[in-house]
């Protein structure tokens, strides 16, 4: 956790949108026809993570690298999962004492109780993950599929559904501070809240809901914990496979398609239907590429200005689902401070780990990844100002605004002000850790509407 690290210093640097776009995902990511046409089902996997031990030799003696070494690099840099396949949920290994089935009834009872309030904005996903013994994503998705009657509507096989969801959950890297299955569960819970917005709920078809939830659950699957620029500069094979464009998002999508096919979840549907679902899932997941933020935001703004959104049209509903997923993906600053702060520290810790690796191997340190220069409060105020606030202002307008939207904006403004105060409370000579320097919440930590049940 970043809070445990010392010498988090304030960096009075100007953090522009462009730096965020560069840092979070380089290149102008668009789904090109080459990507859409890739029918290769990637081999998925969680282990090993990118093994930087071999990068040294790759960088320092790239020209003299022998073929055998090259093969080794390629193998180790891929996100293979030979040793970590989803054996448990596929039934090839016996259940262990850590299995959900052996959880104390009290825990399951509390988790079930939490699910009865899954549509509230102050839902504590960290607690829910503990109560479900790390199975928050599978448990949440099964619950939401039942709430919406999706199993019945699409005639899904429950065994296949569990197998698919288990693979998705397990292919998230639990060692990532941020991009792990809890983040996926958090985004899915937020997506559920957005799907319930009065403006949307009545208009959505079962297919819209199915794709929205599936995309949220799988949108970062097998994330390696480093960003696109890192994959490009380390010449990762995924970067060349996707031509340096939406590399991670393309990988998340193609991995999801691989798991859909492996689990045969949609195999009972006509081929054209399941292929269409795969493509639409891709369109949703690829929309989370932060480098496409301006493209989506200006289109959204235009629709709202012209008041020409017609949610009877499938294409317009799909666009709103893309926006909803983008909102869900970056909604951390709109949560109550305690949860928001945890996510902020986690994402910065992931950035810093990348920076540490880059420093260790004499690579240029990516923007926002230098713990000595980029403090958590500085990163967060920039992130809120240039990414989150502009998007949620439009979402607020779209919902006209709804009670949930007012609640989120309340948290967002308070959290932004708090990060800003923390940022200026730090000085370069400050030796306190972030947690030690933290000021008390003047108003009890909540925003307006905190604790209320959002309908
Ligand atoms: Zn995400």
């Amino acid at each position: 956790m970043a809070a445990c690290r010392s010498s988090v210093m304030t960096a009075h640097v100007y953090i522009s949108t462009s730096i965020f776009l560069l840092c979070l995902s380089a290149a102008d990511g668009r789904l090109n026809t080459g990507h859409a046409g890739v029918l290769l089902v990637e081999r998925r996997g969680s282990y090993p993570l990118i093994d930087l031990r071999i990068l040294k030799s790759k960088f320092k003696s790239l020209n003299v690298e022998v073929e055998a070494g090259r093969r080794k690099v390629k193998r180790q840099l891929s996100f293979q999962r030979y040793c970590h396949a989803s054996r448990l949920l596929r039934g090839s290994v016996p259940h262990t004492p850590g299995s959900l089935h052996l959880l104390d009834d009290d825990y399951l009872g509390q988790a079930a109780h939490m699910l009865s309030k899954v549509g509230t904005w102050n839902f504590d996903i960290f607690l829910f993950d503990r109560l479900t013994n790390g199975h928050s994503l599978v448990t949440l998705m099964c619950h939401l599929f039942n709430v919406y009657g999706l199993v019945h509507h699409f005639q899904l096989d429950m065994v296949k559904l569990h197998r698919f969801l288990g693979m998705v959950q397990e292919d998230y890297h639990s060692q990532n501070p941020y991009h792990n299955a809890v983040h996926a569960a958090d985004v899915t819970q937020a997506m559920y809240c957005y799907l319930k917005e009065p403006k949307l709920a009545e208009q959505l078809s079962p297919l819209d809901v199915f794709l929205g939830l599936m995309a949220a659950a799988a949108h970062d699957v097998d994330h390696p914990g480093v960003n696109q620029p890192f994959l490009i500069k380390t010449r990762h094979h995924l970067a060349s496979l996707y031509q340096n464009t939406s590399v991670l998002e393309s990988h998340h999508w193609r991995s999801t398609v691989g798991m859909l096919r492996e689990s045969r979840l949609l195999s009972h549907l006509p081929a054209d239907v399941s292929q269409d679902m795969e493509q639409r899932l891709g369109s949703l997941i690829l929309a989370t590429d932060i480098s496409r933020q301006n493209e989506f935001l200006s289109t959204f703004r235009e629709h709202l200005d012209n008041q020409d959104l017609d949610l009877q049209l499938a294409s317009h509903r799909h666009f709103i689902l893309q926006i909803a997923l983008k909102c869900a993906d970056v909604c951390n600053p709109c949560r109550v401070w305690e949860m928001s702060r945890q996510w902020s520290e986690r994402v910065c810790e992931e950035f810093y780990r990348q920076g540490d690796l880059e420093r260790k191997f004499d690579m240029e340190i990516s923007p926002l990844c230098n713990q000595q220069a980029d403090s958590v409060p500085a990163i967060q105020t920039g992130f809120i100002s240039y990414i989150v606030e502009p998007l949620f202002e439009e979402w607020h307008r779209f919902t006209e605004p709804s009670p949930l939207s007012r609640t989120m904006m309340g948290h967002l403004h308070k959290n932004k002000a708090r990060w800003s105060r923390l940022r200026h409370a730090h000085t370069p000579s400050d030796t306190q850790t972030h947690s030690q320097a933290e000021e008390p919440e003047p108003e009890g930590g909540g925003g307006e509407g905190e604790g209320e049940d959002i309908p």
Side-chain angles (χ1 to χ4, degrees):
M1 296 289 290
C4 301
R5 290 170 174 253
S6 58
S7 41
V8 174
M9 300 176 184
T10 303
H12 296 283
V13 291
Y14 177 70
I15 303 176
S16 67
T17 306
S18 59
I19 289 182
F20 267 96
L21 300 186
L22 175 69
C23 170
L24 298 175
S25 176
D28 180 18
R30 286 187 182 79
L31 172 60
N32 64 34
T33 50
H35 290 188
V38 173
L39 284 176
L40 166 75
V41 177
E42 284 175 21
R43 179 174 281 137
R44 299 169 296 104
S46 302
Y47 283 93
L49 191 59
I50 291 181
D51 185 350
L52 265 289
R53 286 172 302 184
I54 56 175
L55 282 182
K56 201 161 196 170
S57 60
K58 183 174 172 67
F59 277 105
K60 297 215 167 138
S61 56
L62 201 58
N63 294 335
V64 295
E65 202 171 49
V66 294
E67 188 57 31
R70 208 173 278 132
R71 279 202 303 273
K72 185 182 172 196
V73 167
K74 188 174 178 188
R75 190 176 67 245
Q76 291 199 2
L77 283 184
S78 64
F79 311 147
Q80 308 286 14
R81 62 183 176 110
Y82 293 125
C83 303
H84 197 66
S86 306
R87 285 171 297 176
L88 179 68
L89 284 149
R90 287 170 211 194
S92 61
V93 294
H95 288 168
T96 60
S99 161
L100 186 64
H101 303 83
L102 297 180
L103 274 181
D104 190 296
D105 283 349
D106 282 351
Y107 280 73
L108 289 177
Q110 289 179 60
H113 177 68
M114 283 192 76
L115 280 176
S116 69
K117 293 176 178 289
V118 69
T120 58
W121 190 243
N122 60 351
F123 188 83
D124 186 342
I125 199 70
F126 298 110
L127 174 61
F128 185 66
D129 194 61
R130 288 196 294 277
L131 291 174
T132 56
N133 200 28
H135 292 270
S136 54
L137 186 58
V138 171
T139 314
L140 180 64
M141 281 292 280
C142 284
H143 176 76
L144 296 179
F145 269 46
N146 279 323
V147 165
Y148 278 112
L150 295 174
V151 174
H152 175 74
H153 184 87
F154 291 102
Q155 292 291 294
L156 300 176
D157 179 324
M158 281 304 287
V159 173
K160 291 178 181 175
L161 178 62
H162 270 273
R163 189 181 299 150
F164 170 76
L165 293 174
M167 283 193 278
V168 172
Q169 181 178 268
E170 200 170 329
D171 270 11
Y172 277 95
H173 298 204
S174 58
Q175 68 272 48
N176 285 349
Y178 185 84
H179 287 106
N180 52 45
V182 188
H183 166 62
D186 182 55
V187 171
T188 305
Q189 192 269 337
M191 190 68 173
Y192 173 59
C193 292
Y194 300 158
L195 296 179
K196 287 197 315 113
E197 282 284 10
K199 186 87 189 277
L200 259 185
E202 295 292 303
Q203 311 287 340
L204 295 176
S205 69
L207 181 59
D208 295 328
V209 174
F210 175 80
L211 293 175
L213 294 175
M214 290 280 277
H219 81 284
D220 272 332
V221 73
D222 201 29
H223 195 294
V226 292
N227 60 17
Q228 174 173 290
F230 186 93
L231 295 178
I232 292 172
K233 67 187 177 186
T234 55
R235 303 179 194 182
H236 193 279
H237 72 272
L238 287 178
S240 52
L241 177 63
Y242 296 118
Q243 299 160 44
N244 298 344
T245 303
S246 295
V247 174
L248 285 167
E249 293 74 20
S250 300
H251 179 59
H252 305 319
W253 168 39
R254 298 314 303 178
S255 297
T256 306
V257 169
M259 288 182 279
L260 277 173
R261 295 184 186 181
E262 190 175 335
S263 65
R264 301 180 56 76
L265 179 64
L266 306 177
S267 62
H268 61 293
L269 300 175
D272 59 329
V273 173
S274 59
Q275 276 169 21
D276 179 58
M277 288 163 100
E278 288 175 3
Q279 289 301 313
R280 290 171 71 172
L281 264 182
S283 170
L284 291 174
I285 292 174
L286 284 159
T288 63
D289 182 346
I290 208 77
S291 73
R292 298 179 65 189
Q293 179 83 351
N294 291 340
E295 169 199 333
F296 278 99
L297 194 55
S298 54
T299 307
F300 192 27
R301 217 171 255 148
E302 230 172 84
H303 277 308
L304 294 175
D305 289 346
N306 298 334
Q307 299 184 343
D308 63 358
L309 274 172
D310 179 2
L311 296 178
Q312 304 275 324
L313 296 174
S315 60
H316 283 198
R317 291 199 307 276
H318 182 78
F319 176 72
I320 291 301
L321 284 180
Q322 288 177 312
I323 297 290
L325 181 58
K326 290 174 67 57
C327 287
D329 196 22
V330 298
C331 75
N332 298 155
C334 300
R335 298 280 194 181
V336 62
W337 169 257
E338 260 318 305
M339 273 185 277
S340 179
R341 180 187 58 81
Q342 285 191 63
W343 287 120
S344 300
E345 290 177 347
R346 284 167 176 270
V347 78
C348 291
E349 171 65 13
E350 198 165 296
F351 290 166
Y352 295 154
R353 284 189 189 182
Q354 178 179 323
D356 290 346
L357 290 172
E358 290 166 336
R359 187 180 299 108
K360 186 174 174 185
F361 293 96
D362 299 325
M363 297 156 68
E364 190 182 343
I365 298 179
S366 299
L368 313 184
C369 295
N370 186 347
Q371 194 179 1
Q372 274 76 52
D374 308 312
S375 72
V376 177
I379 292 172
Q380 288 307 310
T381 46
F383 178 58
I384 291 172
S385 298
Y386 296 104
I387 303 289
V388 184
E389 217 167 16
L391 182 61
F392 276 89
E393 273 167 6
E394 301 308 324
W395 181 258
H396 191 63
R397 209 150 60 104
F398 168 70
T399 61
E400 294 188 331
S402 67
L404 169 60
S405 194
R406 291 180 199 276
T407 299
M408 291 194 301
M409 293 306 277
H411 288 311
L412 181 63
H413 293 142
K414 283 188 177 184
N415 292 337
K416 182 185 177 186
R418 191 157 179 173
W419 283 122
S420 183
R421 289 197 299 274
L422 284 168
R423 184 180 179 184
H424 294 107
H426 286 272
T427 65
S429 59
D430 200 338
T431 53
Q432 288 181 301
T433 63
H434 165 67
S435 290
Q436 288 165 333
E438 199 170 278
E439 57 187 280
E441 166 59 50
E443 296 163 56
E448 59 193 71
E450 188 198 358
E452 74 188 36
D453 284 7
I454 305 300

